[in-house]
C-alpha cells in the first residue's frame, strides 16, 4: 500500500499541469470569445475538464505529501489553494453552463470571476513552485552576496578547512558544525524539504526539533537524536542520513558528539570553548602540494567560475582542501592576449595556468604579472620570445615555467636568475642552444632541454 501511495503521489508533478492548461485555455477563450460567442458550448466543457483534473491533482498531491515527508506547514497553502482551484473550476462550469440552482453566480460578472480565478491559479502555482524548488528558486543563480542583500538565506557546500595557525580562532558553529549539517543533512531537512518536520539549516530550527520533539538533550549526546541516529548501523531504518545518501565522516560524527557534550553552543570559537586539538587534526592540511602557495585565500564565487567555463576555459580546484584553481586553455586555442581580461575576477585564485598552444605574444607577460599566486606557468607551443619576461620576477611563488616549442631566445635566459623561487624552466624545441647552460643561480634553477635518451639495456641486443 505504501508503494502504491508513493507511486501515485509522484504522479502529481505530471498531473498538476493538466488543470493549469485547461484553466488558462478557458480564460483565453473567454477573452477571445467575449464578442464572437462562437465557443459558448466549448468553454464550460474546458472548465469541467479543468475541475476534474484539478481534483486528481489534489488527490495525488496529498499522497505525495504523505509519502515524501513534507511538513504540513510547508504544503498547507498549496493544498488548500489547490482544492479551491478545483472548486472554482466547477463553479465556472456552472456559471457558464447556466445552472440555475446556484443563484449567486448569476449576480457575479464573468469578468470578475475570471480575474479572481487567474489570481487563484497564480497563487496556487507559486506555492507549488516554492515547495519543489524553494522560495529562492528565481534568485538562486544570483551571487550569494546579492541573495544575502535581498534577505535570502544562503547555503553552499563548504569544506572544514583548519590549520595550525587558525584552528583555535574558528567559530565552532559557523566553521565546523554548520558545514557538517549543510553537507550531509540539509538536503532533506532544510527549507526546500522538511522530512519529519525537522529542519537543520539554522540554530532556531535545530533547537525546535521535529515531529518527535527535540533532537538535542543539553550536555548529553548519548540521548540526543542528532548524534544517536548518526551512529546507528546503516541498515537500521532510523539511521540518518539514509544509507544511500552522503554520510558524515567518523571525524565529523565525533565533532557533533563533542559539540553536544559542551552544551551545543552556537557562539564562540574553538579556543574559547576549550575543545581538544585532536578533534580537528584530520581537517588540517596533510601536506603542502608544490603546485600552489602554502597560504590561505578566499574562494572564487561559483557563478564567476561557471561564467569563465562557459567562455571555453577549463577551470578546476587543485584540491578539495584549497581554494586555488588550475586554469587551462586546452579547449580554447584561439586565446589571445586581450582574452586575459576574462580571467581577471580570479587572479588571486589562479595557481596553475596553461596557455600552451594559444595565440599569445610577449605582451602577455604584463598581464601574467598580475597573478600574485601563480606557481606553475605553461607557455609551450606559442610565439613567446621571452621579451619582457623579466616582468614575472615580481611573482613570489612561481616555481615552474614551460616554454617548450616556443620562440624563446637565448638572450632572455639570464632573466630567470632574478626570479625569486623559480626551480625549473623547460626550453626544449626553442631557440636556446641545447648545449647551453644547464643551471642558473648556483644550481637553484634547472634549465631542462628535454630530448632525453634511455640508456641501452643488455636485452636490447638479443635477437629472438
Amino acid at each position: 500500500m505504501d508503494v502504491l501511495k508513493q507511486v501515485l503521489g509522484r504522479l502529481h508533478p505530471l498531473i498538476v499541469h493538466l488543470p493549469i492548461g485547461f484553466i488558462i485555455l478557458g480564460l483565453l477563450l473567454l477573452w477571445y470569445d467575449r464578442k464572437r460567442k462562437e465557443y459558448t458550448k466549448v468553454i464550460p466543457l474546458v472548465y469541467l475538464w479543468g475541475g476534474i483534473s484539478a481534483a486528481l491533482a489534489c488527490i495525488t498531491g496529498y499522497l505525495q505529501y504523505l509519502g515524501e515527508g513534507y511538513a504540513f506547514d510547508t504544503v498547507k497553502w498549496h493544498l488548500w489553494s489547490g482544492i479551491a482551484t478545483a472548486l472554482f473550476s466547477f463553479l465556472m462550469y456552472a456559471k457558464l453552463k447556466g445552472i440555475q440552482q446556484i443563484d449567486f453566480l448569476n449576480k457575479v460578472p464573468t469578468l470578475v470571476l475570471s480575474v479572481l480565478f487567474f489570481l487563484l491559479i497564480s497563487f496556487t502555482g507559486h506555492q507549488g513552485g516554492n515547495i519543489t524548488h524553494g522560495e529562492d528558486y528565481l534568485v538562486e543563480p544570483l551571487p550569494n552576496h546579492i541573495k544575502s542583500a535581498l534577505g535570502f538565506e544562503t547555503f553552499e557546500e563548504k569544506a572544514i578547512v583548519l590549520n595550525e595557525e587558525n584552528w583555535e580562532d574558528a567559530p565552532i558553529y559557523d566553521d565546523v558544525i554548520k558545514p557538517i549539517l549543510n553537507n550531509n543533512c540539509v538536503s532533506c531537512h532544510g527549507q526546500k524539504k522538511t522530512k519529519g518536520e525537522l529542519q537543520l539549516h539554522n540554530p532556531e530550527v535545530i533547537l525546535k526539533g521535529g515531529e518527535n520533539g527535540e533532537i538535542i538533550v543539553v550536555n548529553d549526546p548519548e540521548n540526543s537524536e542528532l548524534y544517536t541516529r548518526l551512529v546507528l548501523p546503516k541498515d537500521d531504518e532510523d539511521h540518518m542520513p539514509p544509507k544511500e545518501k552522503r554520510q558524515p565522516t567518523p571525524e565529523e560524527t565525533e565533532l557533533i558528539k563533542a559539540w553536544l557534550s559542551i552544551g551545543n553552543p552556537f557562539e564562540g570559537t574553538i579556543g574559547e570553548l576549550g575543545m581538544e586539538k585532536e578533534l580537528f587534526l584530520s581537517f588540517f592540511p596533510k601536506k603542502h602540494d608544490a603546485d600552489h602557495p602554502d597560504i590561505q585565500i578566499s574562494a572564487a564565487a561559483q557563478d564567476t567560475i561557471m561564467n569563465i567555463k562557459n567562455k571555453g576555459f577549463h577551470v578546476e580546484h587543485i584540491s578539495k582542501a584549497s581554494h586555488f584553481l588550475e586554469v587551462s586553455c586546452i579547449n580554447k586555442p584561439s586565446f589571445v592576449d586581450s582574452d586575459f581580461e576574462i580571467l581577471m575576477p580570479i587572479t588571486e585564485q589562479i595557481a596553475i595556468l596553461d596557455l600552451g598552444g594559444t595565440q599569445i605574444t610577449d605582451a602577455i607577460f604584463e598581464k601574467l604579472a598580475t597573478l600574485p599566486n601563480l606557481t606553475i606557468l605553461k607557455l609551450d607551443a606559442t610565439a613567446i620570445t621571452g621579451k619582457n619576461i623579466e616582468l614575472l620576477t615580481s611573482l613570489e611563488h612561481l616555481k615552474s615555467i614551460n616554454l617548450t616549442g616556443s620562440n624563446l631566445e637565448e638572450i632572455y635566459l639570464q632573466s630567470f636568475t632574478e626570479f625569486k623561487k623559480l626551480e625549473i624552466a623547460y626550453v626544449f624545441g626553442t631557440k636556446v642552444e641545447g648545449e647551453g647552460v644547464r643551471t642558473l643561480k648556483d644550481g637553484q634553477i634547472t634549465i631542462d632541454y628535454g630530448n632525453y635518451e634511455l640508456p641501452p639495456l643488455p636485452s636490447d641486443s638479443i635477437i629472438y
Side-chain angles (χ1 to χ4, degrees), residues 335 337 340 353 355 360-371 374 377-379 382-395 398 401-403 406-409 412 415-416 419:
F335 182 94
D337 299 334
F340 188 86
L353 180 61
L355 301 181
I360 57 173
T361 68
D362 291 320
I364 197 69
F365 289 124
E366 183 177 357
K367 301 176 186 294
L368 294 175
T370 65
L371 303 177
L374 186 62
L377 176 61
K378 300 177 182 180
L379 304 174
T382 63
I384 294 293
T385 68
K387 183 180 180 182
N388 297 323
I389 199 170
E390 67 275 4
L391 293 174
L392 301 187
T393 59
S394 62
L395 300 181
L398 186 61
I401 182 167
N402 186 351
L403 293 156
S406 71
N407 293 327
L408 179 68
E409 299 176 6
Y412 299 112
S415 299
F416 293 150
F419 284 55

Side-chain angles (χ1 to χ4, degrees), residues 45 128 141 177 194 353 375:
L45 188 59
I177 302 302
T194 312
L353 180 61
T375 305

